[in-house]
């Protein structure tokens, strides 16, 4: 039940998927909230620290997701039209790409002044590159636009999952909710 199989996802892949999804949605909401904070707001310093820490957690989860995908079989696609399968793969690839652009741009913004990025003051991610003020602004724009792009892709992803579940009546959504059992393999 932990590992993936050709028939479906295991508990590890499902946990990584849903924890990542919830964190990304929370981070987006927190990011939108932080934009209007002033120096005297309680969350002026707390919000960015939490945002950076959770963003680094998402980075580790995404790296774990990639390693997990490499060492586990990918469940077989359920029957669908080739255009639907290609669209699903493109949306998934775009989600990965956009998530990494947001993580990298956030890291570059955080470390722009030469200070490491901190995950809950437990792990420090070293400064690899220091950006000029203009490049920090560019990283900020990328961070914002790609974050909105993630939300748009999440909506498309969700609509696709609901279409599979309610219209096509296949097990695509169920496979990401319930781990495959050994008896199903």
């Amino acid at each position: 039940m932990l590992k993936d199989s050709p028939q479906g996802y295991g508990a590890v892949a499902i946990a990584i998927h849903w924890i990542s999804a919830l964190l990304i949605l929370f981070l987006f909401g927190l990011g939108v909230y932080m934009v209007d904070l002033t120096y005297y707001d309680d969350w002026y310093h707390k919000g960015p620290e939490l945002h950076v820490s959770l963003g680094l957690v998402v980075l580790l989860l995404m790296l774990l997701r990639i390693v997990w995908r490499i060492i586990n079989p990918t469940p077989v696609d359920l029957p669908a039209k080739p255009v639907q399968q290609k669209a699903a793969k493109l949306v998934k690839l775009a989600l990965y790409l956009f998530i990494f652009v947001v993580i990298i741009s956030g890291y570059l913004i955080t470390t722009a002044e030469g200070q490491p990025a901190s995950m809950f003051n437990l792990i420090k991610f070293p400064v690899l590159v220091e950006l000029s003020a203009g490049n920090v602004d560019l990283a900020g724009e990328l961070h914002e636009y790609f974050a909105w792009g993630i939300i748009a892709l999440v909506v498309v992803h969700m609509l696709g999952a609901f279409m599979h579940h309610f219209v096509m009546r296949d097990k695509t959504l169920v496979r990401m909710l319930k781990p495959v059992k050994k008896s199903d393999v």
Side-chain angles (χ1 to χ4, degrees), residues 51-52 55-56 99-112 117 131 139-140 142-144:
H51 192 80
V52 169
L56 293 170
I99 290 167
F100 277 109
V101 168
V102 169
I103 290 169
I104 292 166
S105 61
Y107 163 81
L108 291 172
I109 295 163
T110 301
T111 61
L131 299 181
L142 288 172
H143 195 73
E144 179 183 0

Side-chain angles (χ1 to χ4, degrees), residues 10-183:
V12 173
I14 292 170
I16 292 169
H17 177 271
W18 290 107
I19 292 168
S20 298
L22 291 173
L23 282 173
I24 288 167
L25 292 174
F26 177 79
L27 283 165
F28 179 79
L30 180 59
V32 169
Y33 172 72
M34 289 187 317
V35 170
D36 292 326
L37 294 178
T38 65
Y39 182 79
Y40 297 103
D41 288 309
D42 286 341
W43 276 86
Y44 182 78
H45 294 288
K46 292 179 200 173
E49 287 175 16
L50 181 61
H51 192 80
V52 169
S53 292
L54 291 177
L56 293 170
V57 170
V58 171
L59 168 63
L60 296 178
L61 282 169
M62 291 300 293
L63 294 174
L64 177 61
R65 176 190 298 252
I66 291 168
V67 169
W68 190 255
R69 182 58 40 233
I70 291 168
I71 64 174
N72 278 276
T74 302
V76 175
D77 290 335
L78 295 174
K81 294 178 181 173
V83 69
Q84 291 171 324
Q85 289 179 340
K86 285 190 192 298
K89 286 183 187 335
L90 280 173
V91 168
K92 187 175 178 180
L93 182 63
L95 268 169
Y96 276 62
L97 176 67
F98 281 36
I99 290 167
F100 277 109
V101 168
V102 169
I103 290 169
I104 292 166
S105 61
Y107 163 81
L108 291 172
I109 295 163
T110 301
T111 61
E113 294 180 353
Q115 298 298 314
S118 174
M119 188 169 72
F120 301 110
N121 289 321
L122 298 173
I123 302 171
K124 304 278 187 197
F125 290 73
V127 178
L128 299 175
V129 177
E130 287 186 45
L131 299 181
S132 66
N135 285 332
V136 170
D137 290 342
L138 175 61
E141 288 178 19
L142 288 172
H143 195 73
E144 179 183 0
Y145 295 139
F146 276 83
W148 280 101
I150 289 170
I151 297 305
L153 288 167
V154 165
V155 169
V156 171
H157 183 64
M158 287 172 45
L159 290 173
F162 291 148
M163 183 188 79
H164 275 279
H165 192 72
F166 294 110
V167 177
M168 298 170 72
R169 299 192 180 276
D170 66 23
K171 294 191 183 289
T172 298
L173 179 59
V174 173
R175 292 195 317 177
M176 192 43 75
L177 296 172
K178 188 170 91 175
V180 65
K181 296 178 190 171
K182 282 190 178 185
S183 60

